[in-house]
Amino acid sequence: MNAKVEQASGTNAADIAKLALAAVILVGGIAGFYYFSGAAQVLRVLGLLVAVVAAAFVGSQTGPGRTLRFFLRESSIELRKVVWPTREETIRTTGVIVVVVIIISLILGLIDLILKVVVMDWLLKL
């Protein structure tokens, strides 16, 4: 884990303007996708992808965008440290969970049946 102290930073006017520009680019790309419905599907999707990439680039230049990029970079580093279970461990663990769920459901069903008999047959017949 990275031991850097994060500074609380507010979003300034330039960041807000950049985020608004990114939103306009994204909405423009979506609007263009539907406006040019007569054009080839490949061109429409390509235009939409260009707009999404451009909006992501503009958004990544803001304070929140830099924070997100830092978080994603640190997350990928942490994911490389994870020791994933083997297939056999996963199957064994899943089997144990299934057995425990069945046992607990039978116990809860039995408790429900006992309470039903007690309430319906004994208490309500008085």
Side-chain angles (χ1 to χ4, degrees):
M1 185 154 103
N2 201 343
K4 293 180 183 177
V5 176
E6 295 184 24
Q7 299 292 329
S9 61
T11 306
N12 58 20
D15 285 346
I16 293 173
K18 289 176 189 176
L19 289 173
L21 176 63
V24 167
I25 292 170
L26 185 61
V27 169
I30 294 170
F33 179 81
Y34 288 107
Y35 181 76
F36 295 109
S37 61
Q41 184 77 16
V42 173
L43 293 176
R44 292 173 57 210
V45 170
L46 185 63
L48 181 62
L49 287 176
V50 167
V52 168
V53 168
F57 176 75
V58 171
S60 71
Q61 302 305 311
T62 64
R66 285 187 291 277
T67 303
L68 179 63
R69 281 187 300 169
F70 177 74
F71 172 75
L72 291 175
R73 187 177 330 115
E74 292 292 318
S75 297
S76 68
I77 291 170
E78 291 298 320
L79 272 176
R80 284 187 230 130
K81 296 177 184 178
V82 173
V83 178
W84 298 101
T86 64
R87 179 177 173 88
E88 295 155 0
E89 290 173 334
T90 304
I91 291 172
R92 193 175 316 125
T93 306
T94 303
V96 169
I97 290 171
V98 168
V99 168
V100 169
V101 166
I102 290 171
I103 291 172
I104 290 178
S105 65
L106 289 173
I107 292 171
L108 289 175
L110 183 64
I111 292 171
D112 184 49
L113 181 65
I114 292 170
L115 288 175
K116 176 189 157 281
V117 168
V118 168
V119 170
M120 298 297 284
D121 294 342
W122 292 358
L123 294 178
L124 292 180
K125 285 194 174 187
L126 293 176

